[in-house]
Amino acid sequence: MIAIMYVSTAKWRLGVKVSREQMKANRERILTEAGRLFREKGFDSVGVAEVMNAAGLTHGGFYGHFASKDDLIAQTVAHMFKPADDQANGLEDIAGFVDAYLSPRHRAGVARGCPTAALVADIRRQGPETRSALTAGVRCQIDRIAAEMLNASPLEVRRNATGVWATMVGAVIMARTINDEALSDQILSDARDWIKSRTSNHEA
C-alpha cells in the first residue's frame, strides 16, 4: 500500500511539472471563452460550467485557476483589455482604428468586440477588482489615442483623446441598442465624421 501511494504521489508531482505549460494554455482558453460569453450575454447570464464547457474543460478544473466567479470576472476583464503584441506600443493608424470601431461589423460583433462598449453597464455593478480592471483598460485606450495627437498642448490632447474615446464607446452602445437600422448607421457615420474633425489637425 505504501509503495502504491508513493508511486501515485510521484506521478502526480511529475504531472504538475510536465503540465505547467498546459495549465497556462488552459487558463488562457478559459479567459478567452469567458470574455466572449460575458460580452455576448452579460455576467449574470453566464455560469462557470458554461465557460468551462466552451473552453473544452471540465467544471471541476475551474478552481485550479480561479477562486470564484467574481475572480474569473475580474481577471477576464483585465485579459480582454490586454493589447495584442502588435498594439502594445500604441496605434499605427488612428483613422483606421476609428473606422473599424465605428463600423457595422463591430456593431454586430459584440462577442469579440470592445469590452467597454459591451460590458460597461454590467461592470458598474461589479466589485472593486473588476472596476479597477475596466479603469485600467479605459486609461490605456485614452493614452493610446492621445499618443497620436502630438500637435497640441498636453491639456488639449488629453481632452480630445478622452472625448474621442467616450464618443466611440457611446456611439457603439447607442447603435447596438436602438431598433432603427438607418438611425443606427447614422450614429456610427456621424460619430466617425465628428472624430475625424477633432483628430485631423492633431495627427503627427
Side-chain angles (χ1 to χ4, degrees):
M1 178 65 71
I2 294 175
I4 293 174
M5 289 178 64
Y6 173 80
V7 171
S8 298
T9 302
K11 287 183 177 180
W12 179 83
R13 287 176 179 167
L14 181 60
V16 170
K17 182 178 286 188
V18 170
S19 66
R20 187 172 299 167
E21 289 302 316
Q22 186 60 52
M23 286 286 288
K24 183 178 178 181
N26 288 348
R27 179 186 176 83
E28 184 78 12
R29 194 156 68 248
I30 294 168
L31 290 170
T32 298
E33 291 303 321
R36 178 181 64 81
L37 290 167
F38 287 150
R39 277 177 285 198
E40 183 178 3
K41 301 180 179 182
F43 298 125
D44 292 341
S45 298
V46 178
V48 168
E50 183 176 2
V51 171
M52 297 300 285
N53 183 62
L57 301 167
T58 62
H59 187 183
F62 174 80
Y63 292 100
H65 297 279
F66 307 98
S68 63
K69 183 181 176 182
D70 286 343
D71 182 32
L72 170 65
I73 289 172
Q75 296 199 43
T76 298
V77 171
H79 182 265
M80 286 189 285
F81 279 109
K82 186 174 67 174
D85 291 341
D86 60 348
Q87 297 175 337
N89 296 320
L91 302 172
E92 293 185 1
D93 178 11
I94 188 171
F97 173 60
V98 172
D99 285 343
Y101 193 98
L102 295 171
S103 67
R105 180 177 181 179
H106 183 221
R107 176 182 60 194
V110 178
R112 299 194 181 278
C114 170
T116 305
L119 292 169
V120 66
D122 283 350
I123 289 175
R124 180 174 61 85
R125 302 181 181 91
Q126 298 300 312
E129 293 83 2
T130 300
R131 296 186 68 179
S132 292
L134 173 68
T135 300
V138 168
R139 183 177 288 115
C140 179
Q141 289 289 41
I142 292 173
D143 287 345
R144 291 174 68 208
I145 294 170
E148 302 304 311
M149 299 179 174
L150 303 179
N151 298 328
S153 69
L155 178 61
E156 187 179 2
V157 164
R158 171 59 50 175
R159 184 171 57 223
N160 286 339
T162 301
V164 165
W165 182 237
T167 298
M168 291 169 69
V169 173
V172 169
I173 291 172
M174 286 192 294
R176 285 174 174 169
T177 304
I178 63 176
N179 63 359
D180 183 328
E181 186 174 356
L183 179 57
S184 178
D185 289 340
Q186 180 185 333
I187 289 171
L188 295 178
S189 177
D190 288 349
R192 286 196 305 270
D193 291 343
W194 183 86
I195 289 171
K196 287 176 182 178
S197 75
R198 302 299 298 176
T199 60
S200 59
N201 294 327
H202 301 288
E203 293 177 354

